[in-house]
Amino acid sequence: MADRMLQFVRVPQAMPDKRDAAARRGDFHEIYADFDVPRAREQSGRCSQCGVPFCQVHCPLGNNIPDWLKLTAEGRLEEAYEVSSATNTFPEICGRICPQDRLCEGNCVIEKGFDSVTIGAVERFITDTAFAQGWVQAPVPRAENGMSVGIVGAGPGGLAAAEQLRLKGYAVHVYDRHDRVGGLMIYGIPNFKLEKEVVLRRHRLFEQAGIVFHLGCEIGRDIGLDELRTRHDAVLLATGVYRARELGGPGAGLAGIVPALDYLIASNRTGLGDAVPEFDSGTLDAAGRDVVVIGGGDTAMDCVRTAIRQGAKSVRCLYRRDRANMPGSLREVKNAEEEGVEFVWLSAPEAFLGDDHVTGVRAVRMHLGLPDASGRQSVEPIEGSHFTIPATLVIKALGFDPEDLPATFAEPALAVSRWGTLKIDHRSFMTSIPGVFAAGDIVRGASLVVWAIRDGRDAAAQMHAWLQHTAAEDGRSSPL
Ligand code: FAD
């Protein structure tokens, strides 16, 4: 092993080539190239194969990262793919959009002094190679087990569960109100982080495996949850969180102030070739406009970088805390700055100016106060520090809360937490309604793709255990 691994003392960290910022501003393509085989082997060989792999410990999926790095360093790519895909339904997607700096790479033991192994880039390379070589197979079961499950939501949580349950032989039906599969991976996250074809090729594999998708079908409107429960032996709710947090203050209702997800969906749909009247009319197009995005999370980063690519005149991100305390990935902030976004840290909007249409934002400087009970520093406005920024498009990216699911599904018995997320038994993943399970953002609150995958896979295992148990109790033969 010694000649292949532990190369971090000799080989510096290298990411795959990144397109220069000027080229990136002109299109929506991904910004990183793929590694080639020699570079992937060399970078994987930097792994120290440490005794306690903190990368794996800090991966929500517990991915066996040291093993697939070693296999890659040895050129055994098909085996590397097998190990990496054993714990992850979408390694090529996590390789692209996980905040590795806060998860695996941020906890890599060689990070202190030598810069971490580029785990995300290697993960992406392994799976893209597997697709190119035809090693990725549709999740076809060995035998049908005669039972069926209904899954509401075709985001990463619902899809991860669908894959696992199909492999066990269930007839799997996935319902989604959108017309495409992927949830926020298709309509939220822009192409420059995750090209749509990467999501669509998984959709094709799931269809080949016999998973049935009912698209454009909203549960609670087109079909009731009670109807789903009679159609299927068990139901999984993986509906995500979509109620946008609102801005207050004078002028908050002016034209030209739009919710982040409306803006991103319009851009993603346009890129997919759909007709989007609000984009064509200019309502949701940043071209030629002074754009102010309010917020500091992943959604805000996606909005500022989309606005740059649409040809905005200026793009500013207004965030009430500082760079060190923002929730979004620091790698994305760096990419945004390179592309021409201006960050206005420690600033919060107070009022929106204009008669009918917004023309500017009056903001106030903030300072960080003492930490609260959660350890997070409070923010206080600094008196007399007002300033005005020109803005003809304001995008609200303040986060998302759950929709009122008991009302949507007309199921008052569906228990929710005080935040509106679905309550589950954390061992069985079952909600307060027998046979109805839940996973992903609708349980956790707005989170990450990798956590949704983890929850979806765990929920699938628990649904299978419950279905085996109920079948045995009913005297039916239990599913495999
Ligand atoms: P979702 O992906 O939201 O999928 C839920 C699905 O349920 C949707 O398709 C929806 O249409 C459907 N649905 C809802 N209600 C119904 C109903 N009543 N009937 C039928 N269908 C219904 N995470 C990262 O890890 N990295 C990132 O870079 C990142 N960037 C992000 C950027 C943006 C703009 C946003 C908004 C989020 C981002 N996230 C990112 C978070 C990540 O996308 C989510 O945590 C993840 O998608 C949650 O998965 P999910 O399956 O729980 O829900």
Side-chain angles (χ1 to χ4, degrees), residues 218-233:
E218 182 163 341
I219 305 306
R221 188 195 64 186
D222 302 317
I223 306 179
L225 181 58
D226 48 352
E227 162 71 16
L228 273 199
R229 292 179 67 206
T230 55
R231 280 189 193 180
H232 303 291
D233 296 294

PDB file of all heavy atoms in Angstrom, residues 218-233:
ATOM      1  N   GLU A 218     -50.873  15.746  -7.603  1.00  0.00           N
ATOM      2  CA  GLU A 218     -50.685  16.322  -6.266  1.00  0.00           C
ATOM      3  C   GLU A 218     -51.552  15.585  -5.250  1.00  0.00           C
ATOM      4  O   GLU A 218     -52.784  15.549  -5.383  1.00  0.00           O
ATOM      5  CB  GLU A 218     -51.043  17.814  -6.291  1.00  0.00           C
ATOM      6  CG  GLU A 218     -50.815  18.468  -4.946  1.00  0.00           C
ATOM      7  CD  GLU A 218     -50.766  19.985  -5.022  1.00  0.00           C
ATOM      8  OE1 GLU A 218     -50.558  20.539  -6.129  1.00  0.00           O
ATOM      9  OE2 GLU A 218     -50.968  20.616  -3.975  1.00  0.00           O
ATOM     10  N   ILE A 219     -50.900  15.016  -4.250  1.00  0.00           N
ATOM     11  CA  ILE A 219     -51.660  14.312  -3.215  1.00  0.00           C
ATOM     12  C   ILE A 219     -52.304  15.361  -2.308  1.00  0.00           C
ATOM     13  O   ILE A 219     -51.664  16.316  -1.891  1.00  0.00           O
ATOM     14  CB  ILE A 219     -50.745  13.358  -2.409  1.00  0.00           C
ATOM     15  CG1 ILE A 219     -50.014  12.405  -3.359  1.00  0.00           C
ATOM     16  CG2 ILE A 219     -51.553  12.580  -1.370  1.00  0.00           C
ATOM     17  CD1 ILE A 219     -50.890  11.621  -4.313  1.00  0.00           C
ATOM     18  N   GLY A 220     -53.574  15.162  -2.039  1.00  0.00           N
ATOM     19  CA  GLY A 220     -54.330  16.174  -1.298  1.00  0.00           C
ATOM     20  C   GLY A 220     -55.195  17.001  -2.235  1.00  0.00           C
ATOM     21  O   GLY A 220     -56.136  17.658  -1.810  1.00  0.00           O
ATOM     22  N   ARG A 221     -54.865  16.975  -3.535  1.00  0.00           N
ATOM     23  CA  ARG A 221     -55.694  17.687  -4.517  1.00  0.00           C
ATOM     24  C   ARG A 221     -56.238  16.684  -5.553  1.00  0.00           C
ATOM     25  O   ARG A 221     -57.434  16.531  -5.702  1.00  0.00           O
ATOM     26  CB  ARG A 221     -54.866  18.777  -5.223  1.00  0.00           C
ATOM     27  CG  ARG A 221     -55.701  19.691  -6.121  1.00  0.00           C
ATOM     28  CD  ARG A 221     -54.833  20.513  -7.064  1.00  0.00           C
ATOM     29  NE  ARG A 221     -54.117  19.647  -8.016  1.00  0.00           N
ATOM     30  CZ  ARG A 221     -53.205  20.074  -8.872  1.00  0.00           C
ATOM     31  NH1 ARG A 221     -52.842  21.337  -8.887  1.00  0.00           N
ATOM     32  NH2 ARG A 221     -52.623  19.223  -9.713  1.00  0.00           N
ATOM     33  N   ASP A 222     -55.330  15.958  -6.220  1.00  0.00           N
ATOM     34  CA  ASP A 222     -55.775  15.016  -7.263  1.00  0.00           C
ATOM     35  C   ASP A 222     -56.163  13.659  -6.671  1.00  0.00           C
ATOM     36  O   ASP A 222     -57.064  12.994  -7.181  1.00  0.00           O
ATOM     37  CB  ASP A 222     -54.664  14.828  -8.301  1.00  0.00           C
ATOM     38  CG  ASP A 222     -54.270  16.158  -8.917  1.00  0.00           C
ATOM     39  OD1 ASP A 222     -55.173  16.948  -9.231  1.00  0.00           O
ATOM     40  OD2 ASP A 222     -53.058  16.424  -9.039  1.00  0.00           O
ATOM     41  N   ILE A 223     -55.452  13.250  -5.648  1.00  0.00           N
ATOM     42  CA  ILE A 223     -55.757  11.986  -4.963  1.00  0.00           C
ATOM     43  C   ILE A 223     -55.595  12.252  -3.466  1.00  0.00           C
ATOM     44  O   ILE A 223     -54.654  12.960  -3.072  1.00  0.00           O
ATOM     45  CB  ILE A 223     -54.764  10.857  -5.330  1.00  0.00           C
ATOM     46  CG1 ILE A 223     -54.669  10.647  -6.838  1.00  0.00           C
ATOM     47  CG2 ILE A 223     -55.141   9.549  -4.644  1.00  0.00           C
ATOM     48  CD1 ILE A 223     -53.676   9.559  -7.231  1.00  0.00           C
ATOM     49  N   GLY A 224     -56.474  11.682  -2.657  1.00  0.00           N
ATOM     50  CA  GLY A 224     -56.363  11.866  -1.201  1.00  0.00           C
ATOM     51  C   GLY A 224     -55.368  10.882  -0.602  1.00  0.00           C
ATOM     52  O   GLY A 224     -55.103   9.818  -1.183  1.00  0.00           O
ATOM     53  N   LEU A 225     -54.848  11.229   0.565  1.00  0.00           N
ATOM     54  CA  LEU A 225     -53.945  10.307   1.256  1.00  0.00           C
ATOM     55  C   LEU A 225     -54.685   9.013   1.624  1.00  0.00           C
ATOM     56  O   LEU A 225     -54.126   7.917   1.550  1.00  0.00           O
ATOM     57  CB  LEU A 225     -53.377  10.989   2.519  1.00  0.00           C
ATOM     58  CG  LEU A 225     -52.399  10.174   3.349  1.00  0.00           C
ATOM     59  CD1 LEU A 225     -51.181   9.728   2.531  1.00  0.00           C
ATOM     60  CD2 LEU A 225     -51.931  10.967   4.567  1.00  0.00           C
ATOM     61  N   ASP A 226     -55.983   9.140   1.955  1.00  0.00           N
ATOM     62  CA  ASP A 226     -56.762   7.940   2.301  1.00  0.00           C
ATOM     63  C   ASP A 226     -56.839   6.984   1.110  1.00  0.00           C
ATOM     64  O   ASP A 226     -56.705   5.769   1.249  1.00  0.00           O
ATOM     65  CB  ASP A 226     -58.177   8.329   2.799  1.00  0.00           C
ATOM     66  CG  ASP A 226     -58.851   9.338   1.889  1.00  0.00           C
ATOM     67  OD1 ASP A 226     -58.178   9.865   0.963  1.00  0.00           O
ATOM     68  OD2 ASP A 226     -60.065   9.590   2.079  1.00  0.00           O
ATOM     69  N   GLU A 227     -56.992   7.562  -0.090  1.00  0.00           N
ATOM     70  CA  GLU A 227     -57.039   6.733  -1.304  1.00  0.00           C
ATOM     71  C   GLU A 227     -55.691   6.019  -1.512  1.00  0.00           C
ATOM     72  O   GLU A 227     -55.643   4.833  -1.835  1.00  0.00           O
ATOM     73  CB  GLU A 227     -57.384   7.641  -2.499  1.00  0.00           C
ATOM     74  CG  GLU A 227     -57.072   7.109  -3.886  1.00  0.00           C
ATOM     75  CD  GLU A 227     -57.973   5.981  -4.346  1.00  0.00           C
ATOM     76  OE1 GLU A 227     -59.031   5.793  -3.727  1.00  0.00           O
ATOM     77  OE2 GLU A 227     -57.577   5.275  -5.313  1.00  0.00           O
ATOM     78  N   LEU A 228     -54.586   6.767  -1.279  1.00  0.00           N
ATOM     79  CA  LEU A 228     -53.256   6.141  -1.433  1.00  0.00           C
ATOM     80  C   LEU A 228     -53.100   4.971  -0.468  1.00  0.00           C
ATOM     81  O   LEU A 228     -52.511   3.942  -0.805  1.00  0.00           O
ATOM     82  CB  LEU A 228     -52.149   7.144  -1.100  1.00  0.00           C
ATOM     83  CG  LEU A 228     -51.620   8.058  -2.185  1.00  0.00           C
ATOM     84  CD1 LEU A 228     -50.258   8.594  -1.762  1.00  0.00           C
ATOM     85  CD2 LEU A 228     -51.500   7.351  -3.515  1.00  0.00           C
ATOM     86  N   ARG A 229     -53.627   5.147   0.736  1.00  0.00           N
ATOM     87  CA  ARG A 229     -53.486   4.087   1.746  1.00  0.00           C
ATOM     88  C   ARG A 229     -54.258   2.835   1.348  1.00  0.00           C
ATOM     89  O   ARG A 229     -53.885   1.722   1.729  1.00  0.00           O
ATOM     90  CB  ARG A 229     -53.938   4.599   3.118  1.00  0.00           C
ATOM     91  CG  ARG A 229     -52.990   5.675   3.659  1.00  0.00           C
ATOM     92  CD  ARG A 229     -53.462   6.187   4.990  1.00  0.00           C
ATOM     93  NE  ARG A 229     -53.389   5.174   6.018  1.00  0.00           N
ATOM     94  CZ  ARG A 229     -54.151   5.156   7.103  1.00  0.00           C
ATOM     95  NH1 ARG A 229     -55.061   6.104   7.292  1.00  0.00           N
ATOM     96  NH2 ARG A 229     -54.024   4.203   7.992  1.00  0.00           N
ATOM     97  N   THR A 230     -55.346   3.018   0.591  1.00  0.00           N
ATOM     98  CA  THR A 230     -56.062   1.807   0.160  1.00  0.00           C
ATOM     99  C   THR A 230     -55.384   1.177  -1.066  1.00  0.00           C
ATOM    100  O   THR A 230     -55.409  -0.030  -1.247  1.00  0.00           O
ATOM    101  CB  THR A 230     -57.544   2.100  -0.163  1.00  0.00           C
ATOM    102  OG1 THR A 230     -57.580   3.145  -1.122  1.00  0.00           O
ATOM    103  CG2 THR A 230     -58.327   2.519   1.055  1.00  0.00           C
ATOM    104  N   ARG A 231     -54.710   2.024  -1.870  1.00  0.00           N
ATOM    105  CA  ARG A 231     -54.027   1.473  -3.052  1.00  0.00           C
ATOM    106  C   ARG A 231     -52.783   0.663  -2.686  1.00  0.00           C
ATOM    107  O   ARG A 231     -52.391  -0.239  -3.408  1.00  0.00           O
ATOM    108  CB  ARG A 231     -53.529   2.617  -3.942  1.00  0.00           C
ATOM    109  CG  ARG A 231     -54.573   3.233  -4.813  1.00  0.00           C
ATOM    110  CD  ARG A 231     -53.876   4.175  -5.785  1.00  0.00           C
ATOM    111  NE  ARG A 231     -54.837   5.034  -6.444  1.00  0.00           N
ATOM    112  CZ  ARG A 231     -54.521   5.940  -7.338  1.00  0.00           C
ATOM    113  NH1 ARG A 231     -53.267   6.113  -7.695  1.00  0.00           N
ATOM    114  NH2 ARG A 231     -55.437   6.685  -7.912  1.00  0.00           N
ATOM    115  N   HIS A 232     -52.098   1.088  -1.585  1.00  0.00           N
ATOM    116  CA  HIS A 232     -50.775   0.512  -1.289  1.00  0.00           C
ATOM    117  C   HIS A 232     -50.729  -0.093   0.113  1.00  0.00           C
ATOM    118  O   HIS A 232     -51.478   0.306   0.998  1.00  0.00           O
ATOM    119  CB  HIS A 232     -49.698   1.593  -1.421  1.00  0.00           C
ATOM    120  CG  HIS A 232     -49.681   2.233  -2.775  1.00  0.00           C
ATOM    121  ND1 HIS A 232     -49.280   1.564  -3.904  1.00  0.00           N
ATOM    122  CD2 HIS A 232     -50.048   3.479  -3.193  1.00  0.00           C
ATOM    123  CE1 HIS A 232     -49.392   2.369  -4.959  1.00  0.00           C
ATOM    124  NE2 HIS A 232     -49.857   3.527  -4.554  1.00  0.00           N
ATOM    125  N   ASP A 233     -49.768  -1.022   0.291  1.00  0.00           N
ATOM    126  CA  ASP A 233     -49.622  -1.656   1.608  1.00  0.00           C
ATOM    127  C   ASP A 233     -48.958  -0.720   2.611  1.00  0.00           C
ATOM    128  O   ASP A 233     -49.114  -0.897   3.819  1.00  0.00           O
ATOM    129  CB  ASP A 233     -48.805  -2.952   1.460  1.00  0.00           C
ATOM    130  CG  ASP A 233     -49.550  -3.953   0.589  1.00  0.00           C
ATOM    131  OD1 ASP A 233     -50.618  -4.419   1.021  1.00  0.00           O
ATOM    132  OD2 ASP A 233     -49.091  -4.225  -0.542  1.00  0.00           O
TER     133      ASP A 233
END
